[in-house]
Amino acid sequence: MEEKLKKKYCPMTETIFYTLLALLTPNHGYGIMKFVKELTEERVKMGTGTLYTMLGRLVDDQMISVINEDDGKKTYQITEDGKILLFMEVDRLRQQYENGKKILGGE
Amino acid sequence: MKKLKFFVSLLKERDWLEEMATQGWLLTDIKLGMLYYFKKVEPCEKVYEIERFAVTSNSTISDITARTRALDITSQFGWDVVTHDENLNYYFVKDKTGDETDEFYDSPEDRQERAERFRKNISMETPLMLLPDLIIMSALLVIIYLIVDKSFSQGILIAMLSLYIGFSVAISCLYMKWGQQIYSELCMSRDEWTQYKNNSEKKKFKKIQHLHAYLHEKSELGLSLKGYENGCYIFEEDTQQYNYFVDTKRCFKKRLKKDNLKFTEEDKDLLSQSLKWHEMSIANAAQYNLKPVAAIGNSILIYKRPLSDDALPWENGNENVSPYILSNTMFIILTISIMVGFVGGFLLSIID
């Protein structure tokens, strides 16, 4: 994977993070939105435009790919590169979380 | 039903279409950007959205495939394409559900990206279309003069050309301003827009006193000035009452003069873009506990301060406070060059 992409997606926005999570199993646009909404208990919301702009960008960068089109609905799935970045992001978040906890002195 | 209406503001157009739906009129088509066709239905609540996918001179593959991808997703979310206009702006409609799907873009960055597509189209592509027009028109005039008809003088030719160039430049400036206005509108979410609409007013004042009176009146209604953008005064509800003070570059210079100081413009600042007097005025005003709230053009600053008996910071003269489209220098250069062309040409034709 190109170094440029790593820089672009690390850190990644919350919407991209959850979209990639949603696409670990093949899904279409509306399905992604519903998955994310349920998983985050309605905290992370995705507008129609936001979703298609983001999917376009992710397809361009080969983080996800279109696997098929049935009745006009495009189904997307995460690629290997996408998975690598997702793991990198989880690692980064873990560090961020631990740093925060250490300095704030939480439990 | 057919309705002829022209909107400068895209979001006002959106509001109007939604209002029409509540009266039972659904949009079916738009022609020439101002002829709206409606069909009669039961009164209902709809949300409209306007989107742009058209290719530009530097489109990426992603821009080109954007429409297919977008139409796939919008239909899944319940948005139907009503139509698109001659400029390839797409009109979407959806039943109003009152939840987050009513909002097309929910991140500010995505809204900015769409706004930029519109601004690019209005501010850059449209004025650029004037350029070939300008060249063809000029060439035609010269050809007519040289080949067809030498009976009208060179002077008239020059006069007509300079008028026409002036006209084209003025139109381009208007388009640029319009694009800017559309941009700042489209950056707003639905909530932000409603708030902006309720709390802002497009106003122009010739004299400082009128501006003062206006702000004072608003203050008594419990509204305090928050900013100024695209010709609109933006207010917010505030229980605190304020006094407003207006500072202008001229008034500021006069005050300096009184103290035997001289204001020197920043070096090399041909287009009056300098922040120098603003910075000096704000520093000066801070001594009187004044908070800067808005800037109009590049020569007016508005301050506010909670009502008090504190000393007045300065006296305002009887000044003109209308903002200009172009910076003063640009405006003067443009006017002079057009006038010279026009008058010169005219004189030439008389001498002939």
Side-chain angles (χ1 to χ4, degrees), chain A residues 9-23:
Chain A
Y9 287 101
C10 201
M12 60 176 72
T13 63
E14 231 181 349
T15 35
I16 291 182
F17 180 78
Y18 280 109
T19 303
L20 289 181
L21 274 187
L23 291 177

Side-chain angles (χ1 to χ4, degrees), chain A residues 50-67:
Chain A
T50 302
L51 191 59
Y52 65 65
T53 315
M54 179 180 57
L55 287 178
R57 220 172 278 148
L58 290 175
V59 170
D60 284 346
D61 291 337
Q62 293 170 13
M63 295 293 109
I64 59 173
S65 58
V66 182
I67 53 168

Side-chain angles (χ1 to χ4, degrees), chain B residues 283-290 305 310-314:
Chain B
N284 175 239
Q287 299 167 9
Y288 299 98
N289 197 17
L290 297 177
R305 171 172 87 182
D310 294 354
L312 283 181
W314 55 73

Side-chain angles (χ1 to χ4, degrees), chain A residues 30 47 49-50 52 57 60 72, chain B residues 51 62 72 76 104 106 110 113:
Chain A
Y30 193 73
T50 302
Y52 65 65
R57 220 172 278 148
D60 284 346
Chain B
E51 174 67 297
S62 171
D72 169 47
Q76 291 176 34
F104 215 66
D106 44 15
D110 293 328
E113 221 171 275

Side-chain angles (χ1 to χ4, degrees), chain B residues 55-71:
Chain B
V55 286
T56 58
S57 44
N58 45 41
S59 292
T60 58
I61 293 299
S62 171
D63 294 334
I64 292 166
T65 51
R67 179 164 72 181
T68 336
R69 196 167 45 238
L71 294 183

Side-chain angles (χ1 to χ4, degrees), chain B residues 304-348:
Chain B
K304 73 180 176 188
R305 171 172 87 182
L307 279 186
S308 69
D309 298 326
D310 294 354
L312 283 181
W314 55 73
E315 291 274 337
N316 276 129
N318 190 19
E319 280 160 80
N320 192 325
V321 289
S322 6
Y324 303 103
I325 295 184
L326 294 168
S327 73
N328 293 352
T329 326
M330 274 291 277
F331 185 74
I332 292 167
I333 291 173
L334 194 66
T335 323
I336 289 179
S337 52
I338 293 167
M339 287 305 281
V340 167
F342 187 69
V343 175
F346 200 68
L347 285 179
L348 250 175

Side-chain angles (χ1 to χ4, degrees), chain A residues 5-39:
Chain A
L5 282 182
K6 282 187 190 163
K7 274 203 180 122
K8 185 171 170 188
Y9 287 101
C10 201
M12 60 176 72
T13 63
E14 231 181 349
T15 35
I16 291 182
F17 180 78
Y18 280 109
T19 303
L20 289 181
L21 274 187
L23 291 177
L24 286 170
T25 48
N27 217 335
H28 50 73
Y30 193 73
I32 297 170
M33 191 272 280
K34 260 178 63 183
F35 174 90
V36 174
K37 203 173 148 183
E38 274 162 30
L39 189 66

